[in-house]
Amino acid sequence: MCSSFPVGAQAADAARPQPTVSPNDDAAAVDLAAYDAVADALLARMTLAEKIGQMTQAELTSLGDLTDIAELSLGSVLCGGSSDPAAGNSVTAWADAYDACQQAALNSRLQVPLLFGIDAMHGHSNVLGAVIFPHNVGLGCTRDPQLIEEIGRATALEVRATGINWTFAPCVTVPQDDRWGRTYEGFSENPAVCGELGAALIRGLQGARLDDPRHVLACAKHFVGDGGTTAAPPAKPDDPRTVALDQGDTRVDEATLRRVHLAPYRPAIAAGVGSVMVSYSSWNGLKCTANRYLLTDVLKGELAFEGLVISDYNAIAQTDEDFRTAIGKSINAGIDMAMEPNRYRKFITLLTDLVEAGEVPEARIDDAVRRILRVKAALGLLGPDPNVTADRTLIESSFGSPAHRQLARRAVRKSLVLLKNDGDLLPLGGGAGRILVTGSGADDLGMQCGGWTIDWQGARGEVTPGGTTILASLQQALGAERIVHAADGRAANGDDIQAAIVVAGEPPYAEGNGDDADLKLTEQDLRAIRDLHAAGVPTALVLLSGRPLVLDDAASDADAIVAAWLPGTEGAGVVDVLAGAHAPTGQLSFSWPRSVDQHPLNEGDEDYAPLYPLGHGLTYGK
Ligand code: BGC
């Protein structure tokens, strides 16, 4: 529906305030306060309805013919994990949808363009044909901020090919319990790694100037303590494999909250991040969305964050059974923009009522809108010639480009961690014998990519065009005639098999659906490893997973073990290491448990006894 909206040139509004201050080109980070004069001039012209409209973010798929955008002066549109334009999920359908939404915004009285937000979490990961980079769990093992900054720049270009000016990334969570379904969104269990790499991604995404049309607004999330929730198993009484961690309660003292979970926000803010998303989770029983101390005193006060604070998807309603009360609590706590995918109209009505009744001070509304307008000004959206149309030349030059695939392949090989390599089984390049390849992930692009890929939960199989599976990459690197792809390990019997590769791991998942009480390999994958071991075939286990899995017998049955995490579309990067073109250099960014009952397991624990410690990682020839 969005793409059917007419797209046309819009005359610049002469009355629109002009930027009076330009940020320093050489500045390392975007200075948002430099845009206060522009923001304040526009704020002064706004009615209460226009202000509250700016504070509201609606979901594209709820917006129908888009007329609500101008009628309600909406400040932002989002596309959630499974949301696509009505015209489909092609890059051009997205660019059309973006242009149409911006044109709709320019029909409003003050013609304030939109922030258009999407979860470009590992590349422009909602859009068919984009390069899918490794999830953060793998990037954390590279310990390479330059590489991650480059990934940020590449991602920004692919996002801008669709016009979109805001990504809900990076996630700077510090996951402390790997049973949590969002562990892979975090770079590490170690706050310093999360801070350094999160800041690098922000620099890459945002650049030094947000009005550079090759960059996008970043969003550090989820503030704060999302990775520290306390397990309360089982989440589903009929399924003992489940555990309630997602959106739970982080029961730690303030010193721990600051040392572990708040720490990455300092470098993120120093890098100039323009937005922060608040966590669904609670801190000692109080939802972060309604926590004035955390949002206003700590984030905006002590940490001097000048950008906008957005609530998570429908999170405001979680702060109170009564929606009006929930809105009052959240806005008064310091939420500036409300992610209200479907109930945006109701949100506007109730917030207006709260302001008129004096229950939300107008000064709070002005602070929220000033922050939103600052960010818009920094993005070049409030000047005389706002940047509101997708630059379609980027579709040809950048979207899914060979250069980005090469970058992703480099990131994949740098993220691989060689956990074990008995008898120097790896690399497999030498020899002329045949290599048996099996396991649930051997030929599965969707499993390589994980959740938040095309769909919210991801999917098995050929989820997106482009990219290569590990099997296809092995065939290319070693020659198809040397590769035997088999359904299980038994095919090795009586064959001239030099070695076997079992690619095992987790099916895709996202958020609470990934909460998992036992983190086991599937019985079928375990059996393949067991059978190969029994047949005396040297076996390398390659793991595709969003977190360390409990290996059970596979820890001893497999001769070599490689953690490949969720590498994305460029399976060739895995084979670069398996076949020996590149030696592994990755270091674990999470401690690897011996058994699931060790969780939560983190470096610095008193009785720290992991199977492989944080930082572990072997290489070849040593
Ligand atoms: C997630 C956020 C995400 C948002 C928008 C929520 O369910 O918690 O991380 O940015 O959806 O898709």
Side-chain angles (χ1 to χ4, degrees):
M1 265 174 277
C2 199
S3 56
S4 65
F5 199 89
V7 179
Q10 177 82 23
D13 175 8
R16 195 181 283 129
Q18 311 291 307
T20 51
V21 186
S22 327
N24 179 355
D25 264 327
D26 303 325
V30 178
D31 175 15
L32 291 168
Y35 296 94
D36 274 4
V38 185
D40 281 338
L42 182 52
L43 184 63
R45 298 171 59 213
M46 286 184 165
T47 63
L48 178 63
E50 286 165 336
K51 292 177 188 176
I52 291 178
Q54 284 301 306
M55 293 172 65
T56 311
Q57 182 184 61
E59 162 63 66
L60 174 70
T61 52
S62 306
L63 278 169
D65 66 3
L66 306 184
T67 49
D68 281 358
I69 293 176
E71 189 200 315
L72 302 172
S73 307
L74 294 182
S76 182
V77 167
L78 96 140
C79 285
S82 295
S83 147
D84 299 326
N89 190 2
S90 68
V91 62
T92 49
W94 280 97
D96 291 345
Y98 174 81
D99 286 353
C101 288
Q102 289 294 24
Q103 290 306 312
L106 294 179
N107 287 333
S108 62
R109 183 180 77 93
L110 291 171
Q111 303 190 325
V112 183
L114 296 162
L115 296 176
F116 193 120
I118 196 164
D119 294 288
M121 282 197 188
H122 54 145
H124 199 3
S125 43
N126 243 357
V127 181
L128 285 173
V131 174
I132 305 297
F133 289 88
H135 267 297
N136 288 350
V137 62
L139 295 183
C141 297
T142 70
R143 305 285 204 280
D144 186 343
Q146 276 82 24
L147 171 70
I148 288 162
E149 191 171 332
E150 267 187 76
I151 291 173
R153 280 199 292 275
T155 302
L157 286 170
E158 298 213 15
V159 173
R160 280 301 199 169
T162 57
I164 295 175
N165 53 20
W166 189 9
T167 172
F168 303 131
C171 187
V172 295
T173 183
V174 190
Q176 298 293 286
D177 187 330
D178 303 357
R179 293 172 296 173
W180 184 37
R182 304 193 80 158
T183 300
Y184 64 79
E185 294 184 46
F187 292 104
S188 177
E189 72 186 35
N190 178 303
V193 175
C194 298
E196 186 182 15
L197 301 186
L201 196 56
I202 290 163
R203 285 195 303 273
L205 289 165
Q206 293 197 160
R209 291 185 58 108
L210 270 172
D211 61 353
D212 179 337
R214 294 166 303 174
H215 289 285
V216 295
L217 174 66
C219 182
K221 70 184 187 184
H222 308 84
F223 190 83
V224 59
D226 51 349
T229 55
T230 305
K236 296 178 196 151
D238 53 336
D239 182 356
R241 279 183 53 106
T242 62
V243 57
L245 277 155
D246 195 39
Q247 306 189 6
D249 190 15
T250 296
R251 292 179 211 147
V252 295
D253 61 18
E254 182 160 349
T256 308
L257 187 81
R258 285 172 175 270
R259 181 176 48 78
V260 178
H261 302 285
L262 188 69
Y265 288 90
R266 293 184 192 273
I269 291 167
V273 72
S275 66
V276 168
M277 190 186 294
V278 177
S279 182
Y280 282 121
S281 57
S282 306
W283 178 38
N284 293 330
L286 177 60
K287 284 277 176 193
C288 291
T289 309
N291 192 321
R292 191 183 154 86
Y293 171 68
L294 290 178
L295 304 189
T296 298
D297 299 350
V298 176
L299 177 59
K300 296 181 179 178
E302 185 186 324
L303 271 61
F305 175 61
E306 308 274 6
L308 73 91
V309 175
I310 183 165
S311 54
D312 205 341
Y313 202 91
N314 281 326
I316 288 177
Q318 295 189 3
T319 65
D320 198 283
E321 280 174 10
D322 172 56
F323 194 33
R324 184 179 181 281
T325 309
I327 294 169
K329 281 185 185 174
S330 307
I331 302 299
N332 282 332
I335 296 288
D336 302 316
M337 183 178 277
M339 193 187 287
E340 286 301 326
N342 326 303
R343 280 199 284 179
Y344 53 90
R345 220 173 239 284
K346 189 147 193 206
F347 168 81
I348 289 170
T349 307
L350 292 173
L351 181 55
T352 308
D353 188 53
L354 283 157
V355 176
E356 284 168 353
E359 292 173 55
V360 172
E362 281 194 48
R364 176 71 270 278
I365 301 292
D366 285 349
D367 171 58
V369 180
R370 181 178 299 111
R371 286 168 178 276
I372 293 162
L373 296 181
R374 260 182 202 151
V375 169
K376 290 192 174 184
L379 280 160
L381 293 174
L382 302 184
D385 186 18
N387 171 22
V388 288
T389 40
D391 175 358
R392 290 169 198 247
T393 64
L394 290 173
I395 296 178
E396 189 58 35
S397 65
S398 302
F399 184 81
S401 69
H404 290 178
R405 292 201 186 277
Q406 284 302 322
L407 174 62
R409 179 173 176 169
R410 179 150 60 91
V412 172
R413 64 179 175 246
K414 288 205 74 177
S415 69
L416 259 50
V417 181
L418 180 61
L419 298 173
K420 171 182 180 184
N421 196 18
D422 283 1
D424 289 334
L425 172 59
L426 294 177
L428 287 173
R434 301 206 297 164
I435 310 287
L436 183 131
V437 180
T438 188
S440 54
D443 194 23
D444 195 326
L445 204 62
M447 211 165 133
Q448 285 173 206
C449 293
W452 295 104
T453 307
I454 310 304
D455 275 314
W456 180 41
Q457 294 296 322
R460 298 290 297 262
E462 287 179 44
V463 282
T464 188
T468 352
T469 66
I470 293 174
L471 175 69
S473 306
L474 279 166
Q475 288 165 334
Q476 276 165 21
L478 299 181
E481 65 289 348
R482 280 189 67 196
I483 303 297
V484 180
H485 183 213
D488 57 40
R490 283 170 300 178
N493 290 336
D495 218 332
D496 66 332
I497 297 297
Q498 172 189 325
I501 297 176
V502 180
V503 187
E506 296 182 299
Y509 56 81
E511 299 192 42
N513 289 334
D515 282 359
D516 185 339
D518 52 24
L519 298 176
K520 280 191 182 307
L521 292 170
T522 65
E523 198 39 53
Q524 195 187 352
D525 284 335
L526 282 171
R527 194 178 324 118
I529 300 160
R530 205 180 300 131
D531 289 347
L532 288 160
H533 178 69
V537 180
T539 298
L541 168 61
V542 177
L543 291 163
L544 296 176
S545 65
R547 47 200 159 178
L549 298 179
V550 175
L551 297 174
D552 295 324
D553 289 348
S556 50
D557 286 354
D559 301 277
I561 305 178
V562 176
W565 313 110
L566 299 171
T569 44
E570 307 314 302
V574 177
V575 174
D576 285 341
V577 170
L578 295 181
H582 292 265
T585 55
Q587 301 164 31
L588 281 182
S589 60
F590 287 86
S591 305
W592 203 291
R594 295 169 192 276
S595 65
V596 81
D597 51 26
Q598 284 188 301
H599 282 309
L601 171 69
N602 297 291
E603 191 191 43
D605 292 352
E606 253 174 44
D607 48 354
Y608 188 61
L611 182 60
Y612 302 112
L614 186 81
H616 175 75
L618 306 174
T619 190
Y620 296 151
K622 287 200 176 146

